[in-house]
Coordinates of all heavy atoms in Angstrom, one line a residue:
M706 N 3.3 15.9 -5.1 CA 3.8 14.6 -5.5 C 2.7 13.6 -5.5 O 1.8 13.5 -4.7 CB 4.9 14.1 -4.4 CG 5.5 12.8 -4.8 SD 6.6 12.1 -3.5 CE 7.4 13.5 -2.8
D707 N 2.7 12.7 -6.5 CA 1.7 11.7 -6.7 C 2.3 10.3 -6.1 O 3.1 9.7 -6.7 CB 1.5 11.5 -8.2 CG 0.2 10.7 -8.5 OD1 -0.6 10.5 -7.6 OD2 0.1 10.4 -9.7
V708 N 1.7 10.0 -4.9 CA 2.2 8.8 -4.2 C 1.6 7.5 -4.8 O 0.4 7.5 -5.0 CB 1.9 8.9 -2.7 CG1 2.2 7.7 -1.9 CG2 2.6 10.1 -2.1
V709 N 2.4 6.5 -4.9 CA 1.9 5.2 -5.3 C 1.7 4.3 -4.1 O 0.6 3.7 -3.9 CB 2.8 4.5 -6.3 CG1 2.3 3.1 -6.7 CG2 3.0 5.4 -7.6
Y710 N 2.8 4.2 -3.3 CA 2.6 3.5 -2.0 C 3.7 4.0 -1.0 O 4.7 4.6 -1.4 CB 2.7 2.0 -2.2 CG 4.1 1.4 -2.6 CD1 5.1 1.2 -1.7 CD2 4.3 1.2 -4.0 CE1 6.3 0.7 -2.1 CE2 5.5 0.7 -4.4 CZ 6.5 0.4 -3.5 OH 7.7 -0.1 -3.9
L711 N 3.5 3.7 0.3 CA 4.4 4.0 1.3 C 4.8 2.7 2.0 O 3.9 1.9 2.3 CB 3.8 5.0 2.4 CG 3.4 6.3 1.8 CD1 2.0 6.4 1.5 CD2 3.7 7.4 2.9
R712 N 6.1 2.5 2.3 CA 6.5 1.3 3.0 C 7.5 1.7 4.1 O 8.4 2.4 3.9 CB 7.2 0.4 2.0 CG 7.7 -0.9 2.7 CD 8.3 -1.9 1.7 NE 7.3 -2.4 0.9 CZ 7.5 -2.7 -0.4 NH1 8.6 -2.6 -1.0 NH2 6.5 -3.2 -1.1
A713 N 7.2 1.2 5.3 CA 8.0 1.4 6.5 C 9.1 0.4 6.5 O 9.0 -0.8 6.2 CB 7.2 1.3 7.7
D714 N 10.3 0.9 6.8 CA 11.5 0.1 7.0 C 12.4 0.7 8.1 O 12.9 1.8 7.9 CB 12.3 0.0 5.7 CG 13.5 -0.9 5.8 OD1 13.4 -1.9 6.5 OD2 14.5 -0.6 5.1
Q715 N 12.4 0.0 9.2 CA 13.2 0.6 10.4 C 12.5 1.9 10.8 O 11.3 1.9 11.1 CB 14.6 0.7 10.1 CG 15.3 -0.5 9.6 CD 15.7 -1.5 10.7 OE1 15.9 -1.1 11.8 NE2 15.7 -2.8 10.4
K716 N 13.3 3.0 10.9 CA 12.7 4.2 11.3 C 12.3 5.2 10.2 O 11.8 6.3 10.5 CB 13.6 4.9 12.4 CG 14.8 5.5 11.8 CD 15.6 6.2 12.9 CE 15.9 7.6 12.6 NZ 16.7 8.3 13.6
Y717 N 12.4 4.8 9.0 CA 12.1 5.6 7.8 C 10.9 5.0 7.1 O 10.7 3.8 7.1 CB 13.3 5.8 6.9 CG 14.4 6.5 7.5 CD1 15.6 5.8 8.0 CD2 14.4 7.9 7.7 CE1 16.6 6.5 8.6 CE2 15.4 8.6 8.3 CZ 16.5 7.9 8.8 OH 17.5 8.6 9.4
V718 N 10.3 5.9 6.3 CA 9.2 5.4 5.4 C 9.7 5.8 4.0 O 10.1 6.9 3.7 CB 7.9 6.2 5.7 CG1 6.9 5.9 4.6 CG2 7.4 5.8 7.1
S719 N 9.6 4.8 3.1 CA 9.9 5.0 1.7 C 8.6 5.3 1.0 O 7.6 4.6 1.1 CB 10.5 3.7 1.0 OG 11.7 3.3 1.6
V720 N 8.7 6.5 0.3 CA 7.5 6.9 -0.5 C 7.8 6.6 -2.0 O 8.8 7.2 -2.6 CB 7.3 8.4 -0.3 CG1 6.1 8.9 -1.2 CG2 7.1 8.7 1.1
C721 N 7.1 5.7 -2.6 CA 7.2 5.4 -4.0 C 6.3 6.3 -4.8 O 5.1 6.3 -4.5 CB 6.9 3.9 -4.2 SG 7.0 3.4 -5.9
H722 N 6.9 7.0 -5.8 CA 6.1 7.8 -6.6 C 6.6 7.6 -8.1 O 7.6 6.9 -8.3 CB 6.2 9.3 -6.2 CG 7.7 9.8 -6.1 ND1 8.3 10.3 -7.2 CD2 8.5 9.8 -5.1 CE1 9.5 10.7 -6.9 NE2 9.7 10.3 -5.6
P723 N 5.9 8.0 -9.1 CA 6.2 7.7 -10.5 C 7.7 8.0 -10.8 O 8.2 7.4 -11.7 CB 5.2 8.6 -11.3 CG 4.0 8.7 -10.4 CD 4.6 8.8 -9.0
D724 N 8.3 9.0 -10.2 CA 9.7 9.4 -10.5 C 10.7 8.7 -9.7 O 11.9 9.0 -9.8 CB 9.8 10.9 -10.4 CG 8.9 11.6 -11.4 OD1 8.8 11.1 -12.6 OD2 8.3 12.6 -11.1
G725 N 10.3 7.8 -8.7 CA 11.3 7.2 -7.9 C 10.9 7.0 -6.5 O 9.7 6.8 -6.2
L726 N 11.9 7.0 -5.6 CA 11.7 6.8 -4.2 C 12.1 8.0 -3.4 O 13.1 8.7 -3.8 CB 12.4 5.6 -3.7 CG 11.9 4.2 -4.0 CD1 12.8 3.1 -3.5 CD2 10.5 4.0 -3.3
L727 N 11.5 8.2 -2.3 CA 11.9 9.3 -1.4 C 11.8 8.7 0.0 O 10.8 8.1 0.4 CB 10.9 10.5 -1.5 CG 11.0 11.7 -0.6 CD1 12.3 12.4 -0.8 CD2 9.8 12.6 -0.7
L728 N 12.9 9.0 0.8 CA 12.9 8.5 2.2 C 12.4 9.7 3.1 O 12.9 10.8 3.0 CB 14.3 8.1 2.7 CG 14.8 6.7 2.2 CD1 16.2 6.5 2.6 CD2 13.9 5.6 2.6
I729 N 11.5 9.4 4.0 CA 11.0 10.4 4.9 C 11.0 9.8 6.3 O 11.0 8.6 6.5 CB 9.6 10.9 4.6 CG1 8.6 9.8 4.6 CG2 9.6 11.6 3.2 CD1 7.2 10.3 4.4
D730 N 11.1 10.7 7.3 CA 11.0 10.4 8.7 C 9.5 10.5 9.1 O 9.0 11.6 9.0 CB 11.9 11.3 9.5 CG 12.2 10.8 10.9 OD1 12.0 9.6 11.1 OD2 12.6 11.6 11.7
G731 N 8.9 9.4 9.6 CA 7.5 9.5 10.0 C 7.0 8.1 10.2 O 7.8 7.1 10.2
S732 N 5.7 8.0 10.5 CA 5.1 6.7 10.7 C 3.9 6.5 9.8 O 3.2 7.4 9.4 CB 4.7 6.6 12.2 OG 3.5 7.3 12.4
L733 N 3.7 5.2 9.4 CA 2.6 4.9 8.6 C 1.3 5.2 9.3 O 0.3 5.6 8.6 CB 2.6 3.4 8.2 CG 3.7 3.0 7.2 CD1 3.6 1.5 6.9 CD2 3.7 3.8 6.0
R734 N 1.2 5.0 10.6 CA 0.0 5.3 11.3 C -0.4 6.7 11.2 O -1.6 7.0 11.0 CB 0.2 5.0 12.8 CG 0.1 3.6 13.2 CD 0.0 3.4 14.7 NE 0.1 2.0 15.0 CZ 0.8 1.5 16.0 NH1 1.3 2.2 16.9 NH2 0.8 0.2 16.2
T735 N 0.5 7.6 11.2 CA 0.2 9.0 11.0 C -0.4 9.3 9.6 O -1.4 10.0 9.5 CB 1.5 9.9 11.2 OG1 2.0 9.7 12.5 CG2 1.1 11.4 11.1
F736 N 0.2 8.7 8.6 CA -0.3 8.9 7.2 C -1.7 8.3 7.1 O -2.6 8.8 6.5 CB 0.6 8.3 6.2 CG 1.9 9.1 6.0 CD1 3.1 8.7 6.5 CD2 1.8 10.3 5.3 CE1 4.2 9.4 6.3 CE2 3.0 11.0 5.1 CZ 4.2 10.6 5.6
E737 N -1.9 7.1 7.7 CA -3.1 6.4 7.6 C -4.2 7.2 8.3 O -5.4 7.3 7.8 CB -3.0 5.0 8.3 CG -4.2 4.1 8.1 CD -3.9 2.7 8.7 OE1 -3.2 2.6 9.6 OE2 -4.5 1.8 8.1
R738 N -3.9 7.8 9.5 CA -4.9 8.6 10.2 C -5.2 9.9 9.5 O -6.3 10.3 9.4 CB -4.3 8.9 11.6 CG -5.3 9.6 12.5 CD -4.6 10.1 13.8 NE -3.6 11.1 13.5 CZ -2.4 11.1 14.0 NH1 -2.0 10.1 14.8 NH2 -1.5 12.0 13.6
D739 N -4.2 10.5 8.9 CA -4.4 11.8 8.3 C -5.0 11.8 6.9 O -5.6 12.7 6.4 CB -3.0 12.6 8.2 CG -2.5 13.0 9.6 OD1 -3.2 12.9 10.6 OD2 -1.3 13.4 9.7
F740 N -4.8 10.6 6.2 CA -5.3 10.5 4.8 C -6.1 9.2 4.6 O -5.8 8.4 3.7 CB -4.2 10.6 3.9 CG -3.3 11.8 4.0 CD1 -2.1 11.7 4.6 CD2 -3.7 13.0 3.5 CE1 -1.3 12.9 4.8 CE2 -3.0 14.2 3.7 CZ -1.7 14.1 4.3
P741 N -7.1 9.0 5.4 CA -7.9 7.7 5.3 C -8.6 7.5 4.0 O -8.8 6.4 3.6 CB -8.9 7.7 6.5 CG -9.1 9.2 6.7 CD -7.7 9.9 6.4
D742 N -9.0 8.6 3.3 CA -9.7 8.5 2.1 C -8.7 8.2 0.9 O -9.1 7.8 -0.2 CB -10.5 9.7 1.8 CG -11.6 9.8 2.8 OD1 -12.0 8.8 3.4 OD2 -12.1 11.0 3.0
L743 N -7.4 8.5 1.1 CA -6.4 8.4 0.1 C -5.6 7.1 0.1 O -5.1 6.6 -0.9 CB -5.5 9.6 0.1 CG -6.1 11.0 -0.1 CD1 -5.1 12.1 0.0 CD2 -6.9 11.0 -1.4
L744 N -5.4 6.6 1.4 CA -4.5 5.5 1.6 C -5.2 4.3 2.2 O -6.1 4.4 3.0 CB -3.3 5.9 2.5 CG -2.5 7.1 2.0 CD1 -1.5 7.5 3.1 CD2 -1.7 6.7 0.8
L745 N -4.7 3.1 1.8 CA -5.3 1.9 2.2 C -4.2 1.0 2.7 O -3.2 0.8 2.0 CB -6.1 1.2 1.1 CG -6.7 -0.2 1.4 CD1 -7.8 -0.1 2.4 CD2 -7.2 -0.8 0.1
R746 N -4.3 0.4 3.9 CA -3.3 -0.5 4.5 C -3.5 -1.9 3.9 O -4.6 -2.4 3.8 CB -3.4 -0.6 6.0 CG -2.2 -1.4 6.6 CD -2.2 -1.3 8.1 NE -1.9 0.0 8.6 CZ -0.6 0.4 8.8 NH1 0.4 -0.4 8.6 NH2 -0.4 1.6 9.3
I747 N -2.4 -2.4 3.3 CA -2.4 -3.7 2.7 C -1.5 -4.7 3.5 O -1.5 -5.9 3.3 CB -2.0 -3.7 1.2 CG1 -0.6 -3.2 1.0 CG2 -3.0 -2.9 0.5 CD1 -0.1 -3.5 -0.4
H748 N -0.6 -4.1 4.4 CA 0.3 -4.9 5.1 C 0.7 -4.1 6.3 O 0.6 -2.8 6.3 CB 1.6 -5.2 4.3 CG 2.5 -6.3 4.8 ND1 3.4 -6.0 5.8 CD2 2.6 -7.6 4.5 CE1 4.1 -7.1 6.0 NE2 3.6 -8.1 5.2
R749 N 1.3 -4.7 7.3 CA 1.6 -3.9 8.5 C 2.7 -2.8 8.2 O 2.8 -1.8 8.9 CB 2.1 -4.8 9.7 CG 3.4 -5.5 9.3 CD 3.8 -6.4 10.5 NE 4.9 -7.3 10.1 CZ 6.2 -7.0 10.0 NH1 6.5 -5.8 10.2 NH2 7.0 -7.9 9.6
N750 N 3.4 -3.0 7.1 CA 4.5 -2.1 6.7 C 4.2 -1.3 5.4 O 5.1 -0.7 4.9 CB 5.8 -2.8 6.7 CG 5.9 -3.7 5.5 OD1 5.0 -4.0 4.8 ND2 7.1 -4.2 5.3
T751 N 2.9 -1.5 4.9 CA 2.7 -0.8 3.6 C 1.3 -0.2 3.5 O 0.3 -0.9 3.8 CB 2.8 -1.9 2.4 OG1 4.1 -2.6 2.6 CG2 2.7 -1.2 1.1
L752 N 1.2 1.0 3.0 CA 0.0 1.7 2.6 C 0.1 1.9 1.1 O 1.1 2.3 0.6 CB -0.1 3.0 3.3 CG -0.2 3.0 4.9 CD1 -0.1 4.5 5.4 CD2 -1.5 2.4 5.3
V753 N -1.1 1.8 0.4 CA -1.1 2.1 -1.0 C -2.1 3.2 -1.3 O -3.0 3.4 -0.5 CB -1.5 0.8 -1.9 CG1 -0.4 -0.2 -1.7 CG2 -2.8 0.3 -1.5
A754 N -1.8 3.9 -2.3 CA -2.8 5.0 -2.7 C -4.0 4.3 -3.3 O -3.9 3.4 -4.2 CB -2.2 5.9 -3.8
R755 N -5.2 4.6 -2.8 CA -6.4 3.9 -3.3 C -6.6 4.2 -4.8 O -7.1 3.3 -5.5 CB -7.6 4.5 -2.5 CG -7.6 4.0 -1.0 CD -8.8 4.7 -0.3 NE -8.7 4.5 1.1 CZ -9.3 3.5 1.8 NH1 -10.1 2.6 1.1 NH2 -9.2 3.3 3.1
S756 N -6.3 5.3 -5.2 CA -6.4 5.7 -6.6 C -5.5 4.9 -7.6 O -5.7 4.9 -8.8 CB -6.2 7.2 -6.8 OG -4.9 7.5 -6.5
R757 N -4.5 4.3 -7.0 CA -3.5 3.6 -7.8 C -3.7 2.0 -7.8 O -3.1 1.3 -8.5 CB -2.1 3.9 -7.3 CG -1.7 5.3 -7.5 CD -1.1 5.5 -8.8 NE -0.6 6.8 -9.0 CZ 0.1 7.1 -10.1 NH1 0.4 6.2 -11.0 NH2 0.5 8.3 -10.2
L758 N -4.5 1.6 -6.9 CA -4.7 0.1 -6.7 C -5.7 -0.4 -7.8 O -6.8 -0.1 -7.8 CB -5.3 -0.2 -5.3 CG -5.5 -1.6 -4.9 CD1 -4.2 -2.4 -5.0 CD2 -6.1 -1.7 -3.5
L759 N -5.1 -1.3 -8.6 CA -5.9 -1.8 -9.8 C -6.6 -3.1 -9.4 O -7.6 -3.5 -9.9 CB -5.1 -1.9 -11.0 CG -4.5 -0.7 -11.6 CD1 -3.6 -1.0 -12.8 CD2 -5.6 0.3 -12.0
G760 N -5.9 -3.9 -8.7 CA -6.3 -5.3 -8.4 C -5.3 -6.1 -7.6 O -4.4 -5.6 -7.1
L761 N -5.6 -7.4 -7.5 CA -4.7 -8.3 -6.8 C -4.2 -9.4 -7.7 O -4.9 -9.8 -8.7 CB -5.5 -9.0 -5.6 CG -6.1 -8.0 -4.6 CD1 -7.0 -8.7 -3.6 CD2 -4.9 -7.3 -3.8
E762 N -3.0 -9.9 -7.4 CA -2.4 -10.9 -8.2 C -1.9 -12.0 -7.3 O -1.2 -11.8 -6.3 CB -1.2 -10.3 -9.0 CG -0.4 -11.3 -9.8 CD 0.7 -10.5 -10.4 OE1 0.5 -10.1 -11.6 OE2 1.8 -10.4 -9.8
R763 N -2.3 -13.3 -7.6 CA -1.9 -14.4 -6.8 C -0.6 -14.9 -7.4 O -0.5 -15.1 -8.6 CB -3.0 -15.5 -6.9 CG -2.8 -16.6 -5.9 CD -3.4 -16.2 -4.6 NE -3.5 -17.4 -3.8 CZ -3.7 -17.5 -2.5 NH1 -3.8 -16.3 -1.9 NH2 -3.7 -18.6 -1.9
R764 N 0.4 -15.2 -6.5 CA 1.7 -15.7 -6.9 C 1.7 -17.2 -6.8 O 1.0 -17.7 -5.9 CB 2.8 -15.0 -6.1 CG 3.0 -13.6 -6.5 CD 4.3 -13.1 -6.1 NE 4.6 -11.8 -6.5 CZ 5.4 -11.0 -5.9 NH1 6.1 -11.4 -4.9 NH2 5.6 -9.7 -6.4
P765 N 2.6 -17.9 -7.5 CA 2.7 -19.3 -7.3 C 3.0 -19.8 -5.9 O 2.6 -20.9 -5.5 CB 3.9 -19.7 -8.3 CG 3.9 -18.6 -9.3 CD 3.5 -17.3 -8.5
D766 N 3.7 -19.0 -5.2 CA 4.0 -19.4 -3.8 C 2.9 -19.2 -2.8 O 3.0 -19.5 -1.6 CB 5.3 -18.6 -3.3 CG 5.0 -17.1 -3.1 OD1 3.9 -16.6 -3.4 OD2 5.9 -16.4 -2.7
G767 N 1.7 -18.7 -3.3 CA 0.5 -18.6 -2.5 C 0.3 -17.2 -1.9 O -0.8 -16.9 -1.4
S768 N 1.3 -16.3 -2.1 CA 1.1 -14.9 -1.6 C 0.3 -14.1 -2.6 O 0.1 -14.5 -3.7 CB 2.5 -14.3 -1.4 OG 3.2 -14.1 -2.6
T769 N -0.3 -13.0 -2.1 CA -1.1 -12.1 -2.9 C -0.4 -10.8 -3.0 O 0.0 -10.3 -1.9 CB -2.5 -12.0 -2.3 OG1 -3.1 -13.3 -2.2 CG2 -3.4 -11.1 -3.2
C770 N -0.3 -10.2 -4.1 CA 0.3 -8.9 -4.3 C -0.7 -7.9 -4.9 O -1.7 -8.2 -5.6 CB 1.5 -9.0 -5.2 SG 2.8 -10.0 -4.6
A771 N -0.4 -6.6 -4.6 CA -1.2 -5.5 -5.2 C -0.7 -5.1 -6.5 O 0.5 -4.9 -6.7 CB -1.2 -4.3 -4.2
V772 N -1.6 -5.0 -7.5 CA -1.2 -4.5 -8.8 C -1.5 -3.0 -8.8 O -2.6 -2.6 -8.5 CB -2.0 -5.2 -9.9 CG1 -1.7 -4.7 -11.3 CG2 -1.8 -6.7 -9.9
M773 N -0.5 -2.2 -9.1 CA -0.6 -0.8 -9.0 C -0.5 -0.1 -10.4 O 0.3 -0.6 -11.2 CB 0.6 -0.3 -8.1 CG 0.7 -0.9 -6.7 SD -0.7 -0.7 -5.7 CE -0.7 1.0 -5.4
L774 N -1.2 1.0 -10.5 CA -1.2 1.8 -11.8 C 0.2 2.5 -11.9 O 0.7 3.1 -10.9 CB -2.3 2.8 -11.7 CG -2.4 3.7 -12.9 CD1 -2.8 3.0 -14.2 CD2 -3.5 4.8 -12.6
D775 N 0.8 2.4 -13.0 CA 2.1 3.1 -13.3 C 3.2 2.7 -12.4 O 4.0 3.6 -12.0 CB 1.9 4.6 -13.3 CG 0.9 5.1 -14.3 OD1 0.9 4.5 -15.4 OD2 0.3 6.2 -14.1
C776 N 3.2 1.5 -12.0 CA 4.3 1.0 -11.0 C 4.5 -0.5 -11.3 O 3.6 -1.3 -11.3 CB 3.8 1.2 -9.6 SG 5.0 0.7 -8.4
S777 N 5.8 -0.8 -11.5 CA 6.1 -2.2 -11.8 C 6.2 -3.0 -10.5 O 6.2 -4.2 -10.5 CB 7.4 -2.3 -12.5 OG 8.5 -1.7 -11.8
D778 N 6.4 -2.3 -9.3 CA 6.4 -3.0 -8.0 C 5.0 -3.6 -7.7 O 4.0 -3.0 -8.1 CB 6.8 -2.1 -6.9 CG 8.2 -1.6 -7.0 OD1 9.0 -2.3 -7.7 OD2 8.6 -0.7 -6.3
T779 N 5.0 -4.7 -7.1 CA 3.8 -5.3 -6.6 C 3.9 -5.6 -5.2 O 4.3 -6.7 -4.8 CB 3.4 -6.6 -7.4 OG1 4.6 -7.5 -7.4 CG2 3.1 -6.3 -8.9
P780 N 3.5 -4.7 -4.3 CA 3.7 -4.9 -2.8 C 2.8 -6.1 -2.4 O 1.7 -6.3 -2.9 CB 3.2 -3.6 -2.2 CG 3.1 -2.6 -3.4 CD 3.0 -3.4 -4.6
V781 N 3.3 -6.8 -1.4 CA 2.6 -8.0 -0.9 C 1.5 -7.5 0.0 O 1.6 -6.6 0.8 CB 3.6 -8.8 0.0 CG1 2.9 -10.0 0.7 CG2 4.7 -9.4 -0.9
V782 N 0.3 -8.2 -0.1 CA -0.8 -8.0 0.7 C -0.8 -9.0 1.8 O -0.8 -10.2 1.4 CB -2.1 -8.0 -0.1 CG1 -3.4 -7.8 0.8 CG2 -2.1 -7.0 -1.2
S783 N -0.9 -8.7 3.0 CA -0.8 -9.7 4.1 C -2.2 -10.4 4.2 O -3.2 -9.8 3.8 CB -0.5 -9.0 5.4 OG -1.6 -8.2 5.9
R784 N -2.2 -11.6 4.7 CA -3.4 -12.4 4.8 C -4.4 -11.6 5.8 O -5.6 -11.7 5.6 CB -3.2 -13.8 5.4 CG -2.5 -14.7 4.3 CD -2.3 -16.0 4.9 NE -1.7 -16.0 6.2 CZ -0.7 -16.8 6.6 NH1 -0.3 -17.7 5.8 NH2 -0.2 -16.7 7.8
R785 N -3.8 -10.9 6.7 CA -4.6 -10.2 7.7 C -5.4 -9.1 7.0 O -6.6 -8.8 7.4 CB -3.7 -9.6 8.8 CG -4.4 -8.8 9.8 CD -3.5 -8.3 10.8 NE -4.2 -7.6 11.8 CZ -3.6 -6.8 12.8 NH1 -2.3 -6.8 12.8 NH2 -4.3 -6.2 13.6
H786 N -4.9 -8.4 6.0 CA -5.5 -7.3 5.4 C -6.2 -7.7 4.1 O -6.9 -6.8 3.5 CB -4.5 -6.2 5.1 CG -4.0 -5.6 6.4 ND1 -2.8 -6.0 7.0 CD2 -4.5 -4.6 7.2 CE1 -2.6 -5.3 8.1 NE2 -3.6 -4.4 8.2
L787 N -6.1 -8.9 3.6 CA -6.6 -9.3 2.3 C -8.1 -9.1 2.2 O -8.6 -8.6 1.2 CB -6.2 -10.7 2.0 CG -6.5 -11.3 0.6 CD1 -5.9 -10.4 -0.4 CD2 -6.0 -12.7 0.5
A788 N -8.9 -9.5 3.2 CA -10.3 -9.4 3.1 C -10.8 -8.0 3.0 O -11.6 -7.7 2.2 CB -11.0 -10.1 4.3
E789 N -10.1 -7.1 3.7 CA -10.5 -5.7 3.6 C -10.2 -5.1 2.3 O -10.9 -4.3 1.7 CB -9.8 -4.9 4.7 CG -10.1 -3.4 4.7 CD -9.3 -2.6 5.7 OE1 -8.7 -3.2 6.6 OE2 -9.2 -1.4 5.5
V790 N -9.0 -5.5 1.7 CA -8.6 -5.0 0.4 C -9.6 -5.5 -0.6 O -10.0 -4.7 -1.5 CB -7.1 -5.4 0.1 CG1 -6.8 -5.1 -1.3 CG2 -6.2 -4.8 1.1
R791 N -10.0 -6.7 -0.6 CA -10.9 -7.3 -1.5 C -12.3 -6.6 -1.4 O -12.9 -6.3 -2.4 CB -11.1 -8.8 -1.3 CG -10.0 -9.6 -1.8 CD -10.3 -11.1 -1.7 NE -9.3 -11.9 -2.4 CZ -8.8 -13.0 -1.9 NH1 -9.3 -13.5 -0.8 NH2 -7.8 -13.6 -2.6
R792 N -12.7 -6.3 -0.2 CA -14.0 -5.6 0.0 C -13.9 -4.2 -0.7 O -14.9 -3.8 -1.3 CB -14.3 -5.4 1.5 CG -15.2 -6.5 2.0 CD -15.7 -6.2 3.4 NE -14.7 -5.9 4.4 CZ -14.0 -6.7 5.1 NH1 -14.3 -8.0 5.0 NH2 -13.1 -6.3 6.0
W793 N -12.8 -3.5 -0.4 CA -12.7 -2.2 -1.0 C -12.7 -2.2 -2.5 O -13.3 -1.4 -3.2 CB -11.4 -1.5 -0.5 CG -11.3 -0.1 -1.0 CD1 -11.9 1.0 -0.4 CD2 -10.6 0.3 -2.1 NE1 -11.7 2.1 -1.2 CE2 -10.9 1.7 -2.3 CE3 -9.8 -0.3 -3.1 CZ2 -10.3 2.5 -3.3 CZ3 -9.3 0.5 -4.1 CH2 -9.5 1.8 -4.2
L794 N -11.9 -3.2 -3.1 CA -11.9 -3.3 -4.5 C -13.3 -3.6 -5.1 O -13.7 -3.1 -6.1 CB -10.9 -4.4 -5.0 CG -9.4 -4.1 -4.9 CD1 -8.6 -5.3 -5.0 CD2 -9.1 -3.1 -6.0
R795 N -14.0 -4.5 -4.5 CA -15.4 -4.8 -5.0 C -16.3 -3.6 -4.9 O -17.1 -3.4 -5.8 CB -16.0 -6.0 -4.1 CG -15.6 -7.3 -4.6 CD -16.5 -8.4 -4.0 NE -16.3 -8.5 -2.6 CZ -15.5 -9.3 -1.9 NH1 -14.7 -10.1 -2.6 NH2 -15.4 -9.3 -0.6
A796 N -16.2 -2.8 -3.8 CA -17.0 -1.6 -3.6 C -16.7 -0.5 -4.7 O -17.6 0.3 -5.0 CB -16.8 -1.1 -2.2
T797 N -15.5 -0.5 -5.2 CA -15.1 0.5 -6.1 C -15.3 0.1 -7.6 O -15.2 1.0 -8.5 CB -13.7 1.0 -6.0 OG1 -12.8 -0.2 -6.2 CG2 -13.4 1.5 -4.6
Q798 N -15.7 -1.1 -7.9 CA -15.8 -1.5 -9.2 C -17.3 -1.5 -9.7 O -18.2 -1.5 -9.0 CB -15.2 -2.9 -9.4 CG -13.8 -2.9 -9.3 CD -13.1 -4.3 -9.4 OE1 -13.8 -5.3 -9.4 NE2 -11.8 -4.3 -9.5

């Protein structure tokens, strides 16, 4: 399966992939620890696939969202993780 992003909600993790969503039982910490080269934390409840992260988009309300390849969703990037995400994006371009 080609993962776009993972988002934690209560005790489940939603896995967004090109064909839809899948609910799994697990924790983001486990995925982040097991796949550090594949996943990047952008929010306390969201990990994105590094290969799918195209850039950042500033919204009129002041929030910043991740622009993802082949995905219309734009997950919010927290202020806490924004500097790290920007560093990673600069390093890959």
